[in-house]
Amino acid sequence: MAGAIAPEARAAQRRIVSTINASGKLNADRLALRREANCGEWKATAADISKDLDLLQVPHTIVTAFRFPLASSYSKAMREGEEIRILRKDLPHLFPWMPSLEQTVANIPENAPHWDFTVLQPRADGMVIAAMRLSVEWPAWSKKQARAARLVCAESDYDLRDKDKDRAPFDVRLPEQPKRRRLVCGKCCNNDVDEMQRLAALAGAPS
């Protein structure tokens, strides 16, 4: 960033630093800046932030990410939003514009949460791993919020974020609601063996 800085870049720097200070979320993988859907009337959109990052030459992506539904909301569907995500390896592109961020990144604990909440999904021919598209804030949600986001076992109410190796999250859907995600811990679903056998029988394949 040698030499004079163009006024447009300086303005973009002020906006980005302000946004990161107000709503940036760091984890072991990267930095995220969230925007709710259709927020343009009130604040900069994900596209607006992306333009500033492009101007500052900071690599990033925009992804869809979901938050738990509000208790006051008539709809109990997860809230869709967008997150601007900057990979940890790309964060040094931000350091010249926000020097204080360098030490903050260096201080991230080794055991800090990672990006995705992963679940195991049964198939007739075996098990697959799927990542849920959640906001980067998911590890810090209260249990009530996690329950609203259906991140607790549907049978025992065990908080699946605790990552007990014997209680891994399995997506075991009810036959009458095959499109609705339903997470159950391994202890409550026999590690999904029964569900895989059921799906294999339906598909006419050997279990």
Side-chain angles (χ1 to χ4, degrees), residues 12-106:
Q13 177 190 20
R14 287 195 293 268
R15 290 190 294 266
I16 288 297
V17 170
S18 176
T19 301
I20 290 174
N21 283 333
S23 58
K25 300 294 181 183
L26 268 172
N27 67 6
D29 297 322
R30 62 203 89 179
L31 170 71
L33 301 165
R34 180 178 175 82
R35 284 294 182 264
E36 298 295 330
N38 305 313
C39 71
E41 183 179 355
W42 308 105
K43 59 176 68 175
T45 65
D48 294 330
I49 296 171
S50 178
K51 289 177 183 177
D52 282 342
L53 290 172
D54 283 339
L55 187 60
L56 302 179
Q57 298 183 2
V58 179
H60 62 282
T61 57
I62 298 177
V63 301
T64 300
F66 292 87
R67 274 181 174 167
F68 53 88
L70 295 174
S72 59
S73 173
Y74 175 77
S75 171
K76 297 306 177 185
M78 294 286 282
R79 290 184 290 152
E80 182 176 346
E82 292 182 308
E83 286 187 348
I84 302 92
R85 295 181 173 182
I86 304 171
L87 292 172
R88 188 165 180 172
K89 69 179 181 65
D90 293 323
L91 284 174
H93 292 272
L94 260 178
F95 296 163
W97 306 104
M98 190 176 181
S100 62
L101 186 63
E102 184 171 5
Q103 189 59 50
T104 302
V105 172

Side-chain angles (χ1 to χ4, degrees), residues 25 34 65-69 78-79 83 117 132-151 159 161 181:
K25 300 294 181 183
R34 180 178 175 82
F66 292 87
R67 274 181 174 167
F68 53 88
M78 294 286 282
R79 290 184 290 152
E83 286 187 348
F117 184 84
M132 291 173 57
R133 296 189 298 170
L134 298 177
S135 166
V136 71
E137 300 167 325
W138 68 263
W141 293 345
S142 69
K143 187 170 182 181
K144 182 178 180 180
Q145 292 165 338
R147 188 180 292 113
R150 299 193 292 277
L151 299 184
D159 192 333
R161 297 173 300 167
R181 188 182 73 240

Side-chain angles (χ1 to χ4, degrees), residues 116-124 126-132 150-151 160 163-173 180-187 189-193 195-196 199:
D116 293 321
F117 184 84
T118 56
V119 301
L120 298 165
Q121 292 185 329
R123 299 287 188 271
M127 194 79 66
V128 298
I129 298 175
M132 291 173 57
R150 299 193 292 277
L151 299 184
L160 294 165
K163 295 186 177 180
D164 184 320
K165 64 180 181 179
D166 295 324
R167 288 182 175 269
F170 292 90
D171 187 358
V172 184
R173 306 190 179 194
R180 181 180 173 86
R181 188 182 73 240
R182 179 176 176 271
L183 299 187
V184 180
C185 74
K187 280 190 175 182
C189 69
N190 190 25
N191 288 320
D192 237 5
V193 172
E195 180 65 6
M196 282 192 293
L199 293 173

